[in-house]
Amino acid sequence: MIWVGDVPLGRDAPVAVIAGPCSVESFEQFRETAIAVSKAGASLLRGGAFKPRSSPYSFQGLGLSGLKIMRRVADELGLGVVTEAMGVEDVELVAEFTDMVQIGARNMENAPLLEAAARCDRPVLLKRGITATIEEVMVAVETVQALGDGRVVVCERGSRTFEPSLRNSVDISAVAELRLRCNLPVVLDPSHGTGRTDLVRAVALAGVAAGADGLMVEVHPNPPMALSDGFQSLAPADFRDLMTSVQGMAAAVDRPC
Ligand code: PEP
Ligand code: MN
C-alpha cells in the first residue's frame, strides 16, 4: 500500500479516483473542477502545469503558477494532488508543491528524469510509455525503485497501435499482468487511453473489473473550451455518473470504493 497524502493506494485499499483537468488553465477553472470532482467522490486531484504537447504552438501549461494554484486548491479542499514533471530541473519544484510526481508516457525511458524522481521525497506515478512493452515498464519501475524509497504507482494509459479511430488502445490485460508482476498499485487512465469522452466510462469500468487500484480521469467544467484534451475530458455531470458506476463495479468485484 502506498500513501499519497492521506489517501491509501493499493490492493487492500478502496479504488482511488484521481481526477482533474488535463491542464491547469486558471485558478477559477482548477478550483471549479476540483470542487466538482471532490463532491463526486474523487480522492486525489490531478492537473498539468508542465505539459508535454505534440505541437510547440499548443498551450504549454502555466508552470510554477500552475503548481501554486494546485497546492492552494488542494489545501483548501484537504486533498492530495499529482502533476507531471517533464524535466530533471522540474522535479524538486513539483515535489515541493504536490503529493506525487508523475512521469509522463513520453518520458518513461528518460533515465535521468526517473533517477531525479526516485530521489525526491514523494511517491512516483509512472505512466506506461506510448509503445512500451510490459517488460520495459518493469525496467522503468525498477530504475525508480533502485534509487528511491520504493513508492511507485504504475499507470496503464494506452499504447499507440494501428487503430486510427482511437488516440491509443488500452491494454486491459496489462492492468492484470502488472498487478501479478509487481506488488505495486496499478492505475488506469481511460482518458488518454481512448482519447474520447464517449469511451471513458466503458474503459474505466473494464479497468476496475480487471483489478485496477485506481483510475486517472480528465474532467473539465466546459470540455469544448478546454485548452488541452477537451475531446477526452468529462464534464462534471458525466464524472458524477462515472463515480456511481465505478462504485457499482467495485462492489461487483468485491472491492471497497
Ligand atoms: C497527462 O496525464 O497529463 C498526460 C500527458 O498523460 P500521458 O503522459 O499518459 O500522455
Ligand atoms: Mn491530457
Side-chain angles (χ1 to χ4, degrees):
M1 191 118 83
I2 290 175
W3 291 81
V4 182
D6 297 337
V7 175
L9 220 68
R11 32 208 84 175
D12 299 324
V15 175
V17 180
I18 306 166
C22 178
S23 300
V24 179
E25 298 169 9
S26 67
F27 175 72
E28 292 73 21
Q29 172 256 9
F30 187 74
R31 185 169 182 273
E32 185 181 344
T33 313
I35 290 171
V37 300
S38 157
K39 272 193 186 148
S43 37
L44 292 165
L45 300 174
R46 65 146 285 145
F50 301 100
K51 294 303 301 174
R53 303 308 304 280
S54 311
S55 161
Y57 307 112
S58 303
F59 179 58
Q60 303 293 314
L62 296 181
L64 176 59
S65 56
L67 296 179
K68 289 182 177 167
I69 289 169
M70 282 189 275
R71 183 74 269 154
R72 190 170 151 201
V73 171
D75 286 346
E76 179 191 338
L77 301 180
L79 293 175
V81 61
V82 52
T83 198
E84 175 168 353
M86 283 213 316
V88 170
E89 64 286 357
D90 302 334
V91 170
E92 277 310 314
L93 208 55
V94 166
E96 183 186 335
F97 282 93
T98 64
D99 302 281
M100 179 155 65
V101 175
Q102 178 170 324
I103 302 295
R106 290 158 192 79
N107 275 316
M108 191 203 80
E109 288 174 290
N110 180 339
L113 183 60
L114 295 178
E115 288 162 17
R119 292 203 169 91
C120 81
D121 63 354
R122 298 290 188 210
V124 175
L125 176 81
L126 181 65
K127 297 191 88 170
R128 182 180 185 174
I130 291 172
T131 58
T133 63
I134 292 176
E135 190 51 39
E136 287 161 348
V137 176
M138 291 308 302
V139 170
V141 166
E142 282 160 29
T143 304
V144 179
Q145 285 199 307
L147 292 168
D149 59 14
R151 292 182 297 166
V152 181
V153 176
V154 194
C155 181
E156 162 62 34
R157 48 78 74 206
S159 302
R160 179 77 52 84
T161 69
F162 50 79
E163 174 49 58
S165 59
L166 304 165
R167 184 179 188 181
N168 292 298
S169 295
V170 167
D171 187 355
I172 292 293
S173 55
V175 172
E177 172 68 353
L178 286 166
R179 287 177 93 252
L180 289 178
R181 287 219 201 178
C182 57
N183 190 26
L184 293 170
V186 176
V187 165
L188 175 71
D189 173 348
S191 305
H192 293 91
T194 62
R196 283 184 33 192
T197 302
D198 59 347
L199 297 179
V200 166
R201 178 177 175 279
V203 171
L205 296 182
V208 175
D213 303 300
L215 297 170
M216 176 178 259
V217 182
E218 287 187 339
V219 180
H220 192 280
N222 186 0
M225 296 301 289
L227 295 183
S228 60
D229 288 357
F231 47 80
Q232 67 189 32
S233 301
L234 298 185
D238 293 334
F239 181 73
R240 282 194 293 278
D241 290 347
L242 173 69
M243 287 301 294
T244 306
S245 305
V246 165
Q247 277 149 11
M249 180 57 85
V253 293
D254 287 332
R255 190 77 197 255
C257 186

